[in-house]
Amino acid sequence: MLIFKSSEGSVSNMNENEPAHASDLNEIGNVHIKQGYSQSHQPIWQVDLKHTLGQGAEQFKLAINFNSVCQRIVLMGPSGAGKSQTLLMLAGLVKPKQGSICFKNHMLFNTSKKVNLSPQQRRVSYMFQDYALFEHLTVAQNIGFALSRGLFNPGLKRIDYKVFVWLNRLGMADAASKYPHQLSGGQKQRVALARSLVHKPDALLLDEPFAALDRNIRGELRGLLIDIQTELSIPMILITHDAEDAQAFAQETIELHAGKIVEK
């Protein structure tokens, strides 16, 4: 399942090997907040949520409450702690039983005020752990799907130029015509990342993006993700089990256990 807001960007036949220009990259996002914090020090995320899963003895209660001015947040905790459920609620893919979500003082969800914006209205990209690439589409088409209107697949011959900007940015221009089964794990992650960012979301949520990668590739792509976050000044929330990921990426780490935040 993919959550993207459609774009009405122009369609062009840009050569897949044509280098990206700085002006193209500037169109994708705003540069820079190198320190990675809200310039005004106002909270980026204000989250207060309660949710219940299952019934009876199998019931799991989730109670999450945090405010953060940080642009790079890591959610850590054991399996079953509620990390993925938290991300799904922020994205609008799961409706909490009670509470509120504010992003940069913009209300996304509030039970008392009966506000519940759709995933598209929230303008938040969600990158799934398995990357969720379409096996019947090329790399360029997979990325271009984020810019497609409705459920129509992008054509092979007419791909939005923004796709090639991101292919060049992520070093994947030579793989534009390949299919997912022809890619390595690291390449798949780059394609999924490009697809998540090509439509200029306001925030990016990543569910264990490095879990299937070996240590060397993890380090390389972790650095790439930090570089992109700094360039675009886009808030990111990332789930990981790896303390090394948290140490390298996080400006704030939130630890969950049994559905609650562990107080430090």
Side-chain angles (χ1 to χ4, degrees):
M1 182 178 185
L2 296 169
I3 301 302
F4 296 115
K5 185 177 186 296
S6 296
S7 167
E8 296 183 10
S10 60
V11 176
S12 69
N13 287 319
M14 181 175 176
N15 187 292
E16 65 194 48
N17 293 314
E18 185 175 337
H21 297 287
S23 58
D24 293 328
L25 288 174
N26 286 341
E27 288 188 10
I28 297 174
N30 296 321
V31 184
H32 282 278
I33 299 182
K34 286 190 176 179
Q35 69 272 26
Y37 298 90
S38 169
Q39 285 179 311
S40 64
H41 293 286
Q42 294 297 314
I44 295 174
W45 291 100
Q46 296 170 279
V47 178
D48 183 7
L49 297 173
K50 293 182 179 179
H51 192 51
T52 303
L53 299 169
Q55 296 179 346
E58 301 297 322
Q59 193 175 79
F60 177 79
K61 292 186 177 182
L62 191 64
I64 303 296
N65 187 321
F66 69 90
N67 293 342
S68 181
V69 299
C70 296
Q71 293 202 357
R72 298 201 302 267
I73 299 173
V74 166
L75 299 183
M76 288 194 71
S79 298
K83 303 182 301 298
S84 292
Q85 283 297 316
T86 299
L87 229 57
L88 291 168
M89 289 190 291
L90 295 178
L93 300 176
V94 169
K95 182 181 179 181
K97 297 291 184 184
Q98 181 182 340
S100 63
I101 303 169
C102 282
F103 175 73
K104 294 186 175 180
N105 292 322
H106 180 52
M107 191 176 295
L108 307 183
F109 177 81
N110 189 301
T111 46
S112 63
K113 296 183 179 181
K114 297 183 179 180
V115 174
N116 184 21
L117 299 189
S118 70
Q120 291 79 9
Q121 290 172 319
R122 297 185 190 203
R123 290 193 49 78
V124 173
S125 273
Y126 192 108
M127 186 168 151
F128 290 88
Q129 184 176 348
D130 63 359
Y131 310 137
L133 300 181
F134 297 112
E135 294 295 330
H136 64 292
L137 300 182
T138 66
V139 164
Q141 286 177 297
N142 262 283
I143 299 170
F145 188 85
L147 301 171
S148 299
R149 298 180 64 85
L151 297 176
F152 294 101
N153 294 331
L156 282 169
K157 296 182 179 180
R158 297 182 66 83
I159 301 293
D160 194 298
Y161 80 94
K162 298 182 186 71
V163 170
F164 293 105
V165 169
W166 274 104
L167 282 169
N168 277 282
R169 173 64 182 84
L170 298 180
M172 291 290 292
D174 291 341
S177 60
K178 291 185 178 180
Y179 289 86
H181 72 272
Q182 298 173 304
L183 305 177
S184 67
Q187 288 176 318
K188 289 179 180 179
Q189 198 228 37
R190 288 171 186 258
V191 175
L193 182 60
R195 187 177 60 186
S196 297
L197 293 170
V198 70
H199 70 301
K200 304 180 186 179
D202 293 334
L204 177 60
L205 309 177
L206 306 100
D207 192 349
E208 298 200 53
F210 312 122
L213 306 176
D214 64 44
R215 185 158 297 277
N216 290 336
I217 298 297
R218 285 174 78 103
E220 177 186 336
L221 292 176
R222 190 167 54 210
L224 175 63
L225 194 61
I226 292 171
D227 288 345
I228 288 173
Q229 188 282 313
T230 303
E231 286 176 21
L232 304 187
S233 188
I234 179 174
M236 297 182 181
I237 300 181
L238 179 150
I239 290 176
T240 184
H241 289 281
D242 192 321
E244 211 172 288
D245 289 341
Q247 185 175 6
F249 181 84
Q251 292 159 342
E252 181 176 358
T253 300
I254 298 174
E255 188 173 348
L256 275 66
H257 183 76
K260 296 181 180 180
I261 293 176
V262 178
E263 298 294 337
K264 296 181 180 179

